[in-house]
Amino acid sequence: AQSVAQPEDQVNVAEGNPLTVKCTYSVSGNPYLFWYVQYPNRGLQFLLKYITGDNLVKGSYGFEAEFNKSQTSFHLKKPSALVSDSALYFCAVRDMKRTGGGADGLTFGKGTHLIIQP
Amino acid sequence: GAGVSQSPSNKVTEKGKDVELRCDPISGHTALYWYRQSLGQGLEFLIYFQGNSAPDKSGLPSDRFSAERTGGSVSTLTIQRTQQEDSAVYLCASSLVIRGSSGANVLTFGAGSRLTVL
């Protein structure tokens, strides 16, 4: 079975400082990895994905994530946080050995609240 | 349409009543997903539709839950005899399934329908 862990319920960062939101995964095959962001009363918005190739993936709003196969991690990072980055962040995985749940169906982590303090 | 539309945005109902939640996916997207977002539980997969194929119902929590998709477009999620534990935000997502890129396609989410069962 595939699973995703986001070990921190909440991350607090001062504006202008670098931020990291952690994600680890477990799959039986090769993973496709995603980050989504959810602002209050909004649906999830796609940030970035890792499919294959370069382990460092760049996405929307200056975010990036690094795929680390040996540590089974896909942490989300940004060099300089903005107050507007405050939101709920979800890591998700698609196990390419999995059947069912839809061709693009994802297993999501529980989410991490990112709070950027002015 | 330009995005995934869901209605109603908020629904308050009494225990034991039936509710219907509607999703209008992006035009041309053949895949449609329903997820449930409960407080502190992340996103839980419910059901998946792809074209004319039989839906994947593996995530439905009980036989009180059902969904249909008419004409390959609009979908309705029905919850019969609602219980308080059904209170959650129900998210719909759609994707354009591109042959050869299964698993890598991005899901576009609606804003969700918040269900409160009293």
Side-chain angles (χ1 to χ4, degrees), chain B residues 58-77:
Chain B
S58 59
L60 294 178
S62 77
D63 58 8
R64 296 187 295 105
F65 288 72
S66 64
E68 62 178 18
R69 188 178 186 190
T70 54
S73 180
V74 172
S75 176
T76 302
L77 177 68

Side-chain angles (χ1 to χ4, degrees), chain A residues 10 20 23 32 34 37 41 47 49 60 66 80 83-84 92 101 111:
Chain A
Q10 183 171 307
T20 299
C23 171
Y32 286 1
F34 299 76
V37 59
N41 300 314
L47 274 182
K49 65 180 179 181
S60 306
E66 185 168 11
S80 179
V83 172
S84 58

Side-chain angles (χ1 to χ4, degrees), chain A residues 1-3 25-34 49-52 67 92-100 102-107, chain B residues 33 97-105:
Chain A
Q2 59 187 27
S3 65
Y25 65 90
S26 175
V27 297
S28 55
N30 290 322
Y32 286 1
L33 293 155
F34 299 76
K49 65 180 179 181
Y50 169 81
I51 304 301
T52 187
F67 171 63
V93 66
R94 172 71 186 180
D95 183 347
M96 293 317 297
K97 275 195 174 181
R98 177 189 177 197
T99 58
D104 298 308
L106 300 172
T107 296
Chain B
Y33 302 76
V97 179
I98 300 172
R99 188 182 296 276
S101 67
S102 177
N105 301 305

